[in-house]
């Protein structure tokens, strides 16, 4: 853990940083300073107040003050500690949910905690000895995502086929028509459309049916679905230009809006999505789902057990020309409230786990 620097000059910088804590604009230099010289518990406290402050829509002084009072009450009332192991999700959505709720977080498995979440940003994450030991020592302890060990495209489609009865994978040696070739690893965003059949397949590459998810005006729709065990709090509707259908969110995303899961999926589809997550061992995460406009079927094309905070991060920290990639302030607050409620209900409530 980092220690406060002993240089008087550094103390002066810290004082000025703290004095500007309640300013209207984010100051990256201050955040970097705090991260470098302030112990993590104090840094986490700073982030909690700062992040909750960023959720205020009407930024009048009275509302900002009221928000900080409410945040203080959260910190006092919500005495929960969440253990993340083996890695720590400083840029994960779950971390910002914890900030919003006023929860303490730790990466130390020897510390007291109320909930343990396996957090490993990797496609393959085999059983961890420390987490296994914790589960053996406390049989009633439910470790979130402990059984989610493989989120490769190949395995995701195998589980998808088991639940839905059809697959997104094609054999590029015999298939006729266009297909998508992309890395089997998670989060590569390297999809490329090719014509089949082809002569040879590349190792580490999967070949998928080209899903026609174009909706209107040259836009394609990606359904980003947060899941907390048996709860889908809402669905992100993410629109991309058709020519950048495999693009990264920051670079190519046109717009995002929220929708209720029941307005996007049928009851049968919701049941199958949750069954898919259960078989994948995904207690918490986000899915990328496409609906083909021709056959109207759903296709789960990706599963992420360490989703980023892209949609709920503070848009004030970004240039104005990039803010369109995020939810509006009001929608972001709605998303946070629903994510927080799903987190508490599904993951912290053992009666329904």
């Amino acid at each position: 853990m980092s220690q406060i620097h002993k240089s008087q000059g550094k103390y002066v910088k810290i004082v000025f940083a703290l004095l500007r804590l309640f300013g209207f604009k984010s100051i990256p230099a201050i955040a970097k300073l705090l991260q470098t010289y302030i112990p993590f518990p104090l840094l986490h406290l700073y982030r909690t107040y700062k992040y909750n402050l960023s959720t205020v829509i009407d930024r009048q002084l009275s509302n900002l003050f009221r928000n900080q009072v409410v945040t203080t009450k959260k910190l006092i009332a919500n005495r929960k500690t969440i253990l993340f192991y083996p890695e720590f999700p400083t840029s994960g959505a779950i971390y910002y949910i914890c900030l919003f709720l006023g929860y303490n977080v730790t990466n130390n498995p020897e510390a007291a905690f109320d909930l343990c979440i396996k957090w490993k940003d990797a496609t393959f994450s085999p059983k961890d000895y420390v987490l296994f030991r914790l589960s053996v020592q406390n049989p009633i302890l439910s470790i979130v995502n402990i059984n989610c060990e493989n989120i490769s495209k190949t395995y995701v489609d195998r589980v998808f086929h088991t639940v839905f009865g059809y697959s997104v994978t094609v054999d590029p040696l015999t298939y006729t028509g266009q297909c998508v070739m992309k890395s089997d690893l998670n989060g590569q965003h390297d999809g490329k459309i090719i014509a089949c059949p082809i002569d040879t397949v590349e190792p580490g590459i999967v070949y998928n049916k080209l899903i026609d998810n174009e909706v209107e005006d040259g836009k394609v729709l990606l359904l980003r679905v947060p899941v907390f065990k048996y709860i889908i709090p809402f669905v992100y509707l993410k629109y991309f230009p058709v020519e950048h259908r495999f693009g990264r969110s920051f670079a190519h995303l046109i717009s995002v809006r929220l929708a209720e899961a029941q307005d996007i999926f049928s009851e049968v589809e919701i049941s199958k999505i949750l069954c898919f997550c259960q078989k994948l061992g995904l207690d918490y995460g986000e899915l990328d789902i496409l609906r083909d406009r021709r056959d109207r079927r759903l296709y789960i094309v990706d599963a992420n057990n360490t989703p980023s905070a892209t949609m709920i991060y503070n848009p004030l920290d970004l240039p104005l020309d990039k803010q369109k990639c995020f939810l509006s302030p009001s929608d972001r607050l709605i998303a946070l409230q629903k994510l927080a409620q799903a987190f508490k209900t599904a993951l912290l409530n053992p009666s329904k786990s």
Side-chain angles (χ1 to χ4, degrees), residues 265-272:
F265 308 120
S266 68
E267 290 185 8
V268 172
E269 289 172 336
I270 290 176
S271 177
K272 288 185 176 181

Side-chain angles (χ1 to χ4, degrees), residues 249-301:
S249 295
F250 285 110
H252 302 125
L253 187 59
I254 295 174
S255 63
V256 186
R257 63 183 181 90
L258 302 179
E260 296 294 331
Q262 294 80 1
D263 295 334
I264 304 299
F265 308 120
S266 68
E267 290 185 8
V268 172
E269 289 172 336
I270 290 176
S271 177
K272 288 185 176 181
I273 290 170
L274 295 176
C275 180
F276 164 87
C277 291
Q278 183 180 33
K279 290 185 179 296
L280 193 67
L282 188 71
D283 302 312
Y284 162 71
E286 294 184 359
L287 308 175
D288 283 340
I289 302 180
L290 306 178
R291 186 184 293 281
D292 193 298
R293 68 173 177 174
R294 296 176 181 174
D295 62 23
R296 303 308 301 164
R297 286 177 165 182
L298 292 183
Y299 293 87
I300 299 177
V301 296

